[in-house]
Amino acid sequence: MIKSLISATVCAACLLSVTPVFAAENTIPQGKRDEMSQKYTENQIKQQNTENREANHNVDRLITNRK
């Protein structure tokens, strides 16, 4: 009984000490995350500007066609 309890305790301790190492292995460094976020934001701004230009152009055409 005591042997199995000690074995289970040792096993649980090993598992708890190793699990965070595996969980942290695939994380992206903060600098890389910031860089990726910045690129994503820049791409969003470019896309929004393109859509705005296209929308403004379409509105201008509608106004011109109504005159």
Side-chain angles (χ1 to χ4, degrees):
M1 173 80 178
I2 291 179
K3 261 189 178 178
S4 61
L5 182 62
I6 291 173
S7 296
T9 305
V10 170
C11 181
C14 289
L15 211 83
L16 289 174
S17 67
V18 172
T19 303
V21 173
F22 289 129
E25 189 174 310
N26 293 328
T27 59
I28 300 171
Q30 183 63 41
K32 184 69 174 172
R33 276 186 281 169
D34 291 342
E35 182 182 331
M36 290 168 59
S37 177
Q38 182 67 27
K39 285 182 181 179
Y40 179 72
T41 304
E42 289 172 0
N43 288 338
Q44 279 184 319
I45 292 170
K46 286 178 187 177
Q47 182 179 0
Q48 187 66 44
N49 288 341
T50 303
E51 290 172 2
N52 287 345
R53 264 188 257 117
E54 186 177 329
N56 289 339
H57 186 67
N58 290 339
V59 169
D60 290 343
R61 267 197 256 151
L62 286 172
I63 292 171
T64 304
N65 289 339
R66 285 188 178 184
K67 289 183 179 179

